[in-house]
């Protein structure tokens, strides 16, 4: 199988349904030019393959019919990221399939060149992704956006990613929806645009993305892009923690309850949520739990336990929790 340089995150996410934000109206937002041309359902027709055929059968289909699906299937069969010779052979088959109009062959070629990572290979990767995009692939549009949305580019250059993000987002690709929201929130093209960021976080949340729902709740807690509403934020954090096993939400909800931060004080439930997050090795939760043991707040004072938790946080990657040299 081909190694994607940009792995989609949606496969590992817990879908949230529409519990938290399904009833929210989506702010009016002008449609991107050309978005009507995208229809990801077309991939079933544009990316055919023969996953059950043997290499000999596939080669015969290519020799007798110049079957692009057979060439693509051979590329997928032969590609081994650990074997340079196999990758080169796979590239030949993908190129044959791409010449025959096979959309996924263009995506595969984009992945191959993106994995190389040189400026020249990235230009080739962008070309193949863009060909796939022009054929109606939301993934092609999304990969174009990711190549343009690079820290080494200027804000003006990164602004070129917007049209590609929007095409993929409007086609329903949840990764693109979330990343476009983040793009606007962080001002990757120069100035943050919280209205557009909220729009795309809301679309992504309504599509079932827990990270988008979490981000909107964080905005409610912080008063970002609107008034502070900590009780509403806690309600969402609790839903994510209890119904979707979201570790970060468990930490947020637990800390709010322990501190009485804009919500009624509830040491017992807050401590349970914080312990759940710490059990998943969330560094900030480990440090927060350590502070409780140091102070004896809600638990019996235990400096040794506090020290052990801080060491766990250090080992989990939080440098500020690491012991300092004498």
């Amino acid at each position: 199988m081909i190694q994607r340089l940009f792995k989609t995150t949606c496969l590992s996410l817990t879908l949230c349904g529409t519990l938290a934000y399904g009833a929210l109206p989506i702010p009016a937002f002008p449609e991107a030019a050309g978005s009507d041309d995208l229809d990801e359902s077309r991939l079933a027709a544009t990316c055919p393959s023969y996953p059950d055929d043997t290499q000999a059968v596939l080669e015969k289909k290519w020799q007798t019919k110049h079957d692009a699906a057979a060439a693509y299937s051979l590329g997928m069969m032969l590609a081994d990221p650990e074997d340079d010779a196999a990758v080169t052979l796979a590239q030949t088959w993908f190129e044959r399939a791409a010449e025959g109009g096979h959309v996924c062959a263009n995506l595969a070629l984009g992945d191959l060149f993106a994995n190389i990572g040189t400026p020249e290979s990235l230009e080739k990767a962008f070309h193949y992704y863009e060909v796939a995009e022009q054929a109606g692939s939301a993934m092609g549009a999304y990969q174009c956006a990711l190549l343009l949305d690079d820290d080494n580019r200027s804000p003006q250059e990164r602004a070129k990613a917007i049209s590609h993000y929007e095409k993929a987002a409007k086609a329903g690709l949840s990764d693109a929806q979330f990343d476009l929201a983040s793009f606007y929130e962080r001002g990757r093209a120069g100035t943050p645009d919280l209205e557009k960021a909220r729009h795309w976080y809301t679309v992504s949340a309504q599509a079932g993305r827990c990270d988008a729902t979490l981000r909107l709740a964080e905005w409610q807690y912080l008063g970002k892009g609107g008034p502070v509403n900590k009780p509403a934020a806690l309600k969402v954090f609790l839903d994510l923690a209890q119904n979707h096993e979201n570790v970060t939400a468990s930490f947020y909800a637990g800390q709010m309850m322990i501190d009485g931060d804009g919500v009624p004080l509830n040491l017992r439930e807050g401590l349970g949520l914080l312990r759940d997050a710490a059990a998943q090795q969330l560094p900030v939760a480990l440090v927060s739990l350590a502070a409780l043991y140091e102070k004896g707040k809600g638990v019996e004072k235990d400096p040794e336990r506090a020290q052990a938790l801080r060491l766990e946080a250090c080992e989990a990657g939080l440098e500020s929790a690491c012991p300092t040299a004498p």
Side-chain angles (χ1 to χ4, degrees):
M1 293 292 291
I2 298 298
Q3 284 185 327
R4 296 202 71 86
L5 178 62
F6 308 105
K7 296 186 179 181
T8 55
T9 59
C10 57
L11 297 179
S12 61
L13 289 173
T14 302
L15 293 180
C16 295
T18 56
L19 292 177
Y21 285 91
L24 287 184
I26 298 175
F29 186 71
E31 292 296 313
S35 63
D36 290 340
D37 295 333
L38 279 167
D39 181 2
E40 200 66 12
S41 65
R42 290 167 51 197
L43 286 182
T46 55
C47 289
S49 64
Y50 304 109
D52 299 325
D53 283 359
T54 65
Q55 182 173 345
V57 170
L58 291 170
E59 288 175 347
K60 185 173 182 179
K61 285 182 178 179
W62 170 255
Q63 292 166 359
T64 57
K65 301 178 181 178
H66 275 206
D67 188 329
Y72 171 72
S73 299
L74 280 164
M76 293 300 293
M77 176 183 292
L78 299 172
D80 180 353
E82 304 300 324
D83 185 337
D84 290 343
V87 170
T88 299
L89 183 57
Q91 178 182 331
T92 300
W93 285 112
F94 287 140
E95 287 172 346
R96 290 170 178 171
E99 289 170 1
H102 201 285
V103 174
C104 286
N106 281 288
L107 291 174
L109 286 166
D111 290 341
L112 285 174
F113 284 109
N115 282 333
I116 296 172
T118 64
E120 296 77 11
S121 69
L122 291 176
E123 284 186 17
K124 290 182 179 179
F126 186 87
H127 164 75
Y128 285 113
Y129 289 140
E130 192 169 38
V131 170
E133 176 185 0
Q134 291 168 352
S137 169
M139 181 57 72
Y142 177 54
Q143 299 290 9
C144 284
L146 290 175
L147 286 175
L148 292 169
D149 185 11
D150 185 274
D151 288 340
N152 294 321
R153 296 180 183 269
S154 69
Q156 292 75 20
E157 290 177 312
R158 289 198 293 266
K160 297 176 184 177
I162 293 174
S163 63
H164 301 282
Y165 271 137
E166 287 186 343
K167 286 181 181 179
K170 291 174 185 294
L173 194 62
S174 62
D175 285 345
Q177 293 166 352
F178 183 87
D179 287 351
L180 180 56
S182 179
F183 184 97
Y184 282 127
E185 181 184 5
R186 293 181 294 153
R188 296 283 288 168
T191 304
D193 189 328
L194 296 186
E195 182 180 351
K196 290 180 179 178
R198 179 182 290 278
H199 167 83
W200 285 112
Y201 280 135
T202 303
V203 172
S204 185
Q206 290 180 327
R209 285 289 295 256
C210 284
D211 48 358
T213 303
L214 179 69
R215 193 72 188 117
L216 287 169
E218 290 172 339
W219 280 30
Q220 288 181 313
Y221 175 84
L222 296 169
K224 189 169 186 175
V228 171
N229 192 339
K230 292 185 178 181
L234 178 62
K235 183 178 179 181
V236 178
F237 291 148
L238 285 172
D239 173 61
L240 291 173
Q242 295 169 352
N243 298 319
H244 305 285
E245 300 180 354
N246 188 288
V247 177
T248 303
S250 292
F251 166 71
Y252 285 152
Q255 196 67 57
M256 289 179 73
M257 289 179 163
I258 289 168
D259 295 338
D261 185 5
V263 298
L265 185 70
N266 189 333
L267 279 175
R268 186 168 179 270
E269 187 175 354
L271 186 59
L273 288 162
L274 191 61
R275 281 175 167 155
D276 287 344
Q280 296 299 315
Q281 295 297 293
L282 186 68
V284 290
L286 289 163
V287 169
S288 183
L289 190 57
L292 295 181
Y293 277 106
E294 286 174 345
K295 299 173 184 177
K297 183 178 179 179
V299 295
E300 186 176 347
K301 193 171 183 178
D302 189 340
E304 292 184 1
R305 177 65 177 144
Q307 184 177 0
L309 287 166
R310 289 188 181 279
L311 184 58
E312 284 186 53
C314 172
E315 293 172 348
L318 186 62
E319 291 185 9
S320 61
C322 297
T324 55

